[in-house]
Amino acid sequence: MMARRKNPSGNPNVEDLLNRFAAEEENFLRREFLAPAMRGGSVRVRIGRVACKIQIEPDNFAGWGIFQPTSHTHARLVRRASLSERRTYLDLFPAVRLIVCRRQGNTWLAAAASGGDSRIRIEGMAPLRLAEEIQVFDCVRARYDGSHFWFDELEMRHDPAAAAYLRTALNHDIAPDELERPGLTGEERAVYELNYWESVGEEEAADESGRSPRSPPHRRRSRRLRPGEEPVEADPVRRRLRASLSHAGAQLVDYLERSDSFRVSFRVGERSFTSTVAKEDLTVQVAGICLNGEDAKFDLASLIGVLREGEQNDELYAVGDDGMDEEE
């Protein structure tokens, strides 16, 4: 047997490295792997010490998945990852506290909040990946893998009433320097001001104050809407839901976004309701009242007519998240 010649320089042997990587690739093909995936058909995995891009099928999958490699460059989805598997993955990375700022298309943008891992610095806003059931001004915990901030959970140590207060204030067009709730952090006030100026509109704000909207005066009165003018809504989802509800005479209160649906809270007259509707066409999935299994026959706007009629006849029975079980 011929002895392998030692490398006199002490540097790693290139042939050894290539052989080791080839062995790791073969081992990779034999095992399933977990990865977060965004729409677009690819994920990043680490084979040995090398980060590799893998094309996945189906290419429209978004979420936490378990994948089986079919080659060194492709993999297919086996199933969605369980909560415990997702937790194990997220715990590998440092935690960062963020404040949800706004939506950009289908992606939430977030800014740094106080606390979290001091090694990670964020300038401006960063995309918050795979975030569900969050709202603007929420304080969340994310995990940073060196490239992306992956949504972990709502920050339980943060007072959720602060975010609710800011959403209500923005809905009523309260100027940033008129916020009166004690305990708001500097980061929360900055995110609020960002949303406020976008909601008001730079041109109208400049006309009213006579100054640049990027340099607001110390005290500025809340802008009054002109007769017949609708408030400017920066969030496209909120704008869509508000339009559907207002067309039927209802008022949007709030919403939560899920992977394929919206959980919408709204008011009809003096009464509050919560329904779940499909993202694609706002078809009702869970009406929030008993419709004898015919929820899907209605969309969000037509549901309002049913609610009004049921209220007049005293025939509304709550079901779902806020009432009795739907199967009862």
Side-chain angles (χ1 to χ4, degrees):
M1 181 176 68
M2 182 178 296
R4 179 174 296 176
R5 186 171 58 183
K6 293 184 178 180
N7 188 341
S9 67
N11 294 326
N13 186 284
V14 174
E15 183 179 355
D16 286 346
L17 291 176
L18 291 176
N19 289 336
R20 187 184 309 166
F21 183 69
E24 289 169 342
E25 280 189 317
E26 290 304 313
N27 186 48
F28 169 74
L29 291 175
R30 291 193 292 268
R31 297 190 300 178
E32 296 178 346
F33 66 90
L34 183 154
M38 298 176 289
R39 295 189 188 279
S42 66
V43 297
R44 289 193 174 275
V45 299
R46 188 172 295 277
I47 302 176
R49 297 183 179 181
V50 180
C52 302
K53 184 177 181 180
I54 304 293
Q55 295 297 125
I56 62 170
E57 296 179 359
D59 59 7
N60 63 348
F61 174 76
W64 297 85
I66 302 295
F67 300 91
Q68 174 63 56
T70 56
S71 72
H72 297 113
T73 57
H74 290 76
R76 61 176 176 82
L77 176 68
V78 177
R79 59 178 174 83
R80 286 188 176 272
S82 67
L83 290 177
S84 61
E85 289 170 329
R86 172 181 163 180
R87 167 55 50 209
T88 300
Y89 182 95
L90 288 171
D91 284 345
L92 296 173
F93 305 107
V96 184
R97 297 176 77 240
L98 302 173
I99 298 176
V100 180
C101 296
R102 63 171 64 162
R103 291 180 63 90
Q104 188 175 72
N106 294 322
T107 302
W108 283 103
L109 300 179
S114 57
D117 196 309
S118 59
R119 297 171 297 175
I120 301 172
R121 299 181 62 86
I122 303 174
E123 298 293 337
M125 295 182 291
L128 183 59
R129 304 299 187 185
L130 300 185
E132 291 188 354
E133 299 197 17
I134 62 172
Q135 303 174 79
V136 65
F137 304 128
D138 279 345
C139 185
V140 303
R141 181 183 295 266
R143 301 290 180 143
Y144 184 60
D145 67 358
S147 299
H148 299 290
F149 292 92
W150 299 103
F151 173 72
D152 187 346
E153 60 185 358
L154 289 173
E155 179 54 82
M156 298 304 177
R157 295 178 299 175
H158 191 79
D159 181 10
Y165 168 81
L166 292 173
R167 287 192 291 268
T168 300
L170 186 64
N171 196 42
H172 288 82
D173 201 22
I174 304 299
D177 58 349
E178 294 177 351
L179 297 175
E180 297 179 347
R181 189 180 194 278
L184 291 175
T185 66
E187 294 91 343
E188 286 173 321
R189 290 181 178 274
V191 170
Y192 180 87
E193 185 166 358
L194 181 71
N195 280 274
Y196 173 79
W197 287 114
E198 181 170 326
S199 177
V200 168
E202 291 191 354
E203 182 177 347
E204 292 188 20
D207 288 344
E208 180 180 342
S209 66
R211 305 187 186 190
S212 167
R214 298 190 182 277
S215 302
H218 177 65
R219 293 292 296 173
R220 180 181 180 278
R221 298 181 63 83
S222 300
R223 182 175 68 92
R224 296 182 181 275
L225 296 177
R226 301 185 182 98
E229 180 187 4
E230 292 293 329
V232 177
E233 182 57 72
D235 183 349
V237 174
R238 184 178 290 273
R239 185 165 59 242
R240 178 188 179 197
L241 296 174
R242 187 190 299 278
S244 179
L245 289 167
S246 61
H247 180 73
Q251 180 183 5
L252 175 67
V253 175
D254 222 331
Y255 77 94
L256 280 176
E257 182 173 5
R258 294 169 174 166
S259 59
D260 59 354
S261 63
F262 300 115
R263 186 174 185 268
V264 186
S265 299
F266 55 93
R267 295 184 66 84
V268 180
E270 298 299 319
R271 191 163 177 179
S272 298
F273 299 92
T274 298
S275 302
T276 300
V277 298
K279 274 187 176 181
E280 183 177 1
D281 56 6
L282 302 186
T283 298
V284 175
Q285 294 180 346
V286 179
I289 62 169
C290 181
L291 294 179
N292 295 322
E294 298 186 345
D295 302 47
K297 291 185 177 181
F298 303 92
D299 62 12
L300 186 58
S302 61
L303 176 63
I304 306 305
V306 177
L307 294 174
R308 290 188 185 280
E309 182 178 350
E311 191 171 29
Q312 290 173 359
N313 298 329
D314 196 23
E315 295 177 347
L316 292 182
Y317 301 96
V319 300
D321 293 340
D322 299 315
M324 64 183 181
D325 292 338
E326 294 178 76
E327 297 179 354
E328 290 184 356

